[in-house]
Amino acid sequence: MRFLKEEEARALLSALAVRSKDMHDIALVSLFCGLRAGEIHSLTWGDLDFENGLIHVRDTKNKINRHAFMTHEVREMLEQRCGAKATTDLVFPGSSGKKRQWVSDTFARTVNDIGLNDTGKFIIDWNGKQIALRKSDARQRVVFHTLRHTFASWLVKGGIPLYTVAELMGHSTLDMTRRYSHLAPETLKHAALSLEGLLALDIPRIAGCATSQDVMLIN
């Protein structure tokens, strides 16, 4: 399952900002709040609570409403859009002023142009031009939904419990969130070892058995 490295996310947002302000802003919400494209397209100004930094997420995939939280980046972007909002109540209306029905092709073109789906291999066409080969495995390709995966992946790698990530993602079951668990081996280790020394036990020694501390002292 593909997720973006920090430098890849920066490069993507920078490239989108040049090509489409709307697409950049939509991507920012998905990356930092974990919203699906459809959830973002459905957002109205009434769903935004600037006072408490909340986004009320409705029209969700599993029909369960939830809250997302505005990071500084998202809040600043939304406040700018609020100051210049059009007559429609939608935060991210389409060109016709109505709800967007799909993600703009600008996203896929930008991803390809900055090489996020390249394999690192090339072919030479009949004109002598070098053409990058792109990944064929859909699981390894960057698509818009990759931003939501990245949101969850970064949280898990940062030590956030899976249950909390599941709540933020709006997953109906924890099983959907467990696919990110492999990203947090150190977090699991830290959790298990947090009990170390809790009872200050003096473990009886068995004659003839060297402990790891004994081995260290010998060395």
Side-chain angles (χ1 to χ4, degrees):
M1 181 176 54
R2 180 81 154 91
F3 66 91
L4 298 178
K5 299 175 183 177
E6 291 180 20
E7 59 270 24
E8 291 177 325
R10 288 193 195 95
L12 178 57
L13 289 173
S14 295
L16 287 171
V18 173
R19 300 181 181 209
S20 168
K21 169 65 173 166
D22 280 352
M23 198 63 250
H24 165 274
D25 293 353
I26 290 170
L28 192 72
V29 174
S30 185
L31 184 64
F32 282 99
C33 301
L35 272 64
R36 302 175 178 91
E39 294 169 344
I40 299 172
H41 296 166
S42 296
L43 287 177
T44 66
W45 291 108
D47 294 326
L48 306 184
D49 179 353
F50 286 106
E51 182 177 350
N52 296 299
L54 293 175
I55 299 175
H56 301 284
V57 187
R58 314 177 198 278
D59 293 337
T60 66
K61 184 178 178 180
N62 58 15
K63 308 302 180 185
I64 300 175
N65 296 340
R66 70 182 190 280
H67 292 134
F69 299 86
M70 299 179 193
T71 62
H72 169 74
E73 300 89 342
V74 170
R75 186 189 189 102
E76 184 176 351
M77 175 273 292
L78 290 173
E79 286 177 342
Q80 289 178 6
R81 293 187 70 92
C82 183
K85 64 183 179 182
T87 53
T88 176
D89 195 38
L90 292 168
V91 179
F92 302 103
S95 57
S96 65
K98 297 181 179 179
K99 178 181 172 181
R100 295 171 185 263
Q101 299 301 317
W102 53 77
V103 175
S104 169
D105 292 342
T106 300
F107 184 85
R109 289 198 304 270
T110 303
V111 165
N112 289 334
D113 287 347
I114 65 175
L116 291 183
N117 283 331
D118 289 357
T119 62
K121 298 179 180 180
F122 301 86
I123 59 172
I124 306 299
D125 69 6
W126 62 274
N127 203 27
K129 183 180 178 181
Q130 195 177 59
I131 300 176
L133 293 177
R134 294 189 179 128
K135 296 172 182 176
S136 57
D137 187 346
R139 294 169 299 179
Q140 296 302 316
R141 290 178 62 83
V142 174
V143 295
F144 187 83
H145 204 68
T146 303
L147 302 177
R148 180 171 152 86
H149 287 316
T150 300
F151 168 79
S153 299
W154 285 356
L155 289 178
V156 173
K157 290 184 70 176
I160 305 302
L162 289 180
Y163 178 80
T164 302
V165 176
E167 290 289 303
L168 292 171
M169 293 284 281
H171 285 164
S172 56
T173 68
L174 195 57
D175 287 340
M176 300 176 69
T177 320
R178 286 199 180 100
R179 56 185 162 172
Y180 301 102
S181 62
H182 68 285
L183 299 172
E186 287 302 313
T187 302
L188 297 176
K189 178 182 178 181
H190 183 267
L193 296 185
S194 66
L195 298 180
E196 201 167 56
L198 181 65
L199 300 182
L201 296 176
D202 185 12
I203 305 300
R205 295 196 175 202
I206 299 176
C209 291
T211 65
S212 58
Q213 188 172 3
D214 293 333
V215 173
M216 291 175 63
L217 291 174
I218 292 173
N219 292 337

